[in-house]
Amino acid sequence: MILKELPSYQTLLEKAARYPTMDLLVTEAYLHVLRTGTILHHNAERRLGKLGLSYGRFMILCLLSRENEPVPVCKLAEMAGVTTPTVSAVLSGMVRDGLVRREESPEDRRVVRIGLTQEGQKVLDNVLPDLFLAQSDVMSGLTQDELRTLITLLSKVRLDAGQCAEEIPK
């Protein structure tokens, strides 16, 4: 489920009157960040789809390209922020298509490590230039100083959100 459009300011005012814990400015900013992230994510998914790659496969290729050696499946799942079964399902097709390789751990045969193949690196090499151009297009309305400010502000929000997530009782 996604947020297709932002609520009107009038709607936010009505919610603020009904819910005293609501800070109107905070909620408005939060919704803008949420909607912007959704739009950026969907843009990336569409562009990757046109290039014949799912977002999940792309993320796994990117994560593996940062590593110098094969990574255990459970660590890859943690890096991607998803469950091990979710990653395993995506990996099956990627192994079949020659984008990644499975290796048994010499120390523990139950541990499977995943490594990037040359074919997987080729896919990244073909896809990333187009994505970098798309990113530049999206951000072209911002100056260098505005980009630095945006990075600083979003980093603060991300860190605060991470801390809040850790505080939520399970």
Side-chain angles (χ1 to χ4, degrees):
M1 204 176 301
I2 63 165
L3 179 64
K4 287 283 269 183
E5 60 183 60
L6 297 174
S8 69
Y9 192 73
Q10 183 60 39
T11 299
L12 292 176
L13 283 172
E14 291 167 7
K15 297 294 183 198
R18 182 173 182 155
Y19 302 104
T21 59
M22 179 182 162
D23 181 319
L24 184 65
L25 189 58
V26 167
T27 299
E28 186 176 17
Y30 186 94
L31 291 172
H32 275 278
V33 170
L34 189 63
R35 181 65 186 128
T36 301
T38 300
I39 290 169
L40 293 174
H41 182 80
H42 282 259
N43 285 348
E45 281 185 323
R46 277 195 308 274
R47 189 168 294 278
L48 288 167
K50 287 181 182 177
L51 298 169
L53 193 61
S54 73
Y55 191 81
R57 283 182 170 214
F58 173 72
M59 288 307 303
I60 288 172
L61 291 174
C62 286
L63 291 170
L64 290 173
S65 74
R66 299 185 331 197
E67 302 296 319
N68 293 326
E69 56 190 48
V71 177
V73 174
C74 58
K75 180 181 178 193
L76 188 58
E78 183 181 317
M79 292 164 62
V82 296
T83 64
T84 301
T86 299
V87 165
S88 295
V90 176
L91 288 174
S92 294
M94 294 179 75
V95 169
R96 181 193 65 233
D97 295 341
L99 302 175
V100 299
R101 69 183 178 285
R102 283 191 169 109
E103 297 178 5
E104 285 184 0
S105 171
E107 303 87 39
D108 184 347
R109 297 183 72 185
R110 294 171 297 175
V111 175
V112 176
R113 296 177 185 275
I114 304 297
L116 185 65
T117 64
Q118 287 182 348
E119 185 61 32
Q121 185 60 56
K122 269 193 233 177
V123 168
L124 277 179
D125 292 341
N126 289 332
V127 167
L128 285 173
D130 187 56
L131 288 180
F132 292 140
L133 285 174
Q135 290 171 3
S136 294
D137 287 346
V138 167
M139 301 301 227
S140 66
L142 300 175
T143 66
Q144 295 290 305
D145 285 341
E146 288 170 331
L147 287 168
R148 286 185 194 91
T149 300
L150 180 62
I151 291 166
T152 300
L153 294 174
L154 290 175
S155 294
K156 284 178 73 171
V157 170
R158 188 183 71 252
L159 290 173
D160 290 345
Q163 288 173 343
C164 289
E166 291 172 9
E167 295 168 6
I168 297 172
K170 292 182 181 182

